[in-house]
Amino acid sequence: MADGDALLELAVSIAREAGEMLLAKRPARPEVLATKSSPTDVVTVLDRAAEELIRTRIRQARPYDAILGEEGGETPGLSGPSGEGSTPGLSGPSGEGGVRWVVDPIDGTVNFLYGLPDWAVSIGVEVDGEIVAGVVHNVPRAEIFTAVRGGGAWLAGERLRCNTGVPLSRALVATGFGYGAERRRVQAEVLADVAPVVRDIRRGGSCAIDLCSVAAGRVDAYYERGANYWDWAAAGLVAAEAGARVAGLNGKPANPELTLSAAPGLFEELHDLLAPLDPERG
């Protein structure tokens, strides 16, 4: 069994190096290399360069591990001397064991493109299909959020605790929007149901940073439809280790249909507000 602390140490080292590379090579206005789900869902040259760097460093240190990256997809693990390696599916932590790295080289690519200060290198590590270590490096702000399962969530040597005892009416809620025009329209309709009953809404542009903000008490809750596993794999552990619940609707784990995080109590209130909404509306 791989050691969570050792995996985290390696993940932090790689996330630091990737962040330094991105800062050094980012031009004044990065160019869009390609689009994915829509013309607004962009990829830059540096997304791919950062993921390639991360993959190379993982392979150098742990050549038998599987890797799932936003840009490069799934690379199955190899059978090593100790039986390490796995080939879990792409949808989440449901694999057959071994170690898999879940990588988002730039979470918040549009922020990166425009020079906004909230984008992150996110690296989570699964063992036997469960995330056991995670790092979210908010590069422009030089903040490195970390967590090991059972060991708490940390930032700059301080243990993180999510806000507790906050009723829905006083909750500062972070959210995000999809890239497709129709999805954005219906997400705005959902937001119209949420905004009147909470303190206020924040939209930062990075799922990973939003979840870490829940962990740090910078917001009280977060929800989003359309986030992918690599967006929340590491940050979901950070939020959970800070005391927040991280899940989907109706007892499901976090998934692209909905990812929701808040302290117990507020989680249930926000869940019950969102659950009756037509799933195609958010």
Side-chain angles (χ1 to χ4, degrees):
M1 177 68 71
D3 177 76
D5 290 321
L7 291 170
L8 178 63
E9 183 178 359
L10 177 59
V12 169
S13 174
I14 295 171
R16 284 184 185 274
E17 183 180 359
E20 290 169 0
M21 182 275 287
L22 287 166
L23 279 181
K25 293 191 174 182
R26 183 188 179 279
R29 181 60 62 90
E31 293 184 2
V32 173
L33 174 65
T35 59
K36 293 184 282 189
S37 62
S38 81
T40 57
D41 187 4
V42 299
V43 180
T44 69
V45 170
L46 288 174
D47 283 274
R48 294 184 179 176
E51 184 166 318
E52 185 57 36
L53 171 62
I54 293 167
R55 286 175 177 271
T56 296
R57 295 293 181 260
I58 294 169
R59 283 279 179 249
Q60 289 171 341
R62 297 185 57 87
Y64 303 108
D65 292 352
I67 303 172
L68 171 62
E70 179 178 14
E71 307 306 333
E74 177 89 359
T75 301
L78 304 175
S79 295
S82 60
E84 293 182 351
S86 62
T87 56
L90 298 179
S91 60
S94 57
E96 291 297 325
V99 178
R100 181 171 73 158
W101 298 71
V102 184
V103 175
D104 191 341
I106 305 177
D107 187 56
T109 300
V110 173
N111 286 350
F112 176 77
L113 187 70
Y114 279 81
L116 295 170
D118 281 313
W119 52 269
V121 178
S122 175
I123 304 174
V125 193
E126 292 177 357
V127 176
D128 295 334
E130 178 180 60
I131 293 287
V132 300
V135 55
V136 176
H137 183 191
N138 184 335
V139 179
R141 298 186 188 276
E143 291 185 329
I144 298 180
F145 297 85
T146 63
V148 171
R149 187 164 296 279
W154 300 83
L155 171 63
E158 294 188 11
R159 186 159 187 171
L160 301 178
R161 304 283 187 184
C162 69
N163 296 334
T164 59
V166 180
L168 185 64
S169 61
R170 297 182 184 177
L172 183 62
V173 179
T175 192
F177 301 100
Y179 292 107
E182 178 60 18
R183 170 164 287 182
R184 290 184 186 208
R185 184 186 67 79
V186 295
Q187 284 177 320
E189 293 176 0
V190 170
L191 187 62
D193 291 331
V194 175
V197 297
V198 301
R199 181 189 294 275
D200 208 344
I201 299 293
R202 291 293 181 269
R203 194 276 198 264
S206 164
C207 167
I209 293 175
D210 283 344
L211 283 166
C212 289
S213 294
V214 172
R218 296 172 179 174
V219 297
D220 300 305
Y222 161 77
Y223 79 92
E224 185 169 353
R225 176 177 169 86
N228 292 300
Y229 183 46
W230 43 76
D231 299 318
W232 75 75
L237 180 64
V238 174
E241 286 294 322
R245 285 192 63 186
V246 182
L249 290 177
N250 302 315
K252 295 179 181 178
N255 64 83
E257 292 300 311
L258 193 78
T259 300
L260 171 62
S261 181
L266 177 57
F267 179 97
E268 287 76 15
E269 283 195 85
L270 184 55
H271 173 279
D272 291 348
L273 174 64
L274 294 169
L277 303 178
D278 187 315
E280 293 305 316
R281 290 188 58 214

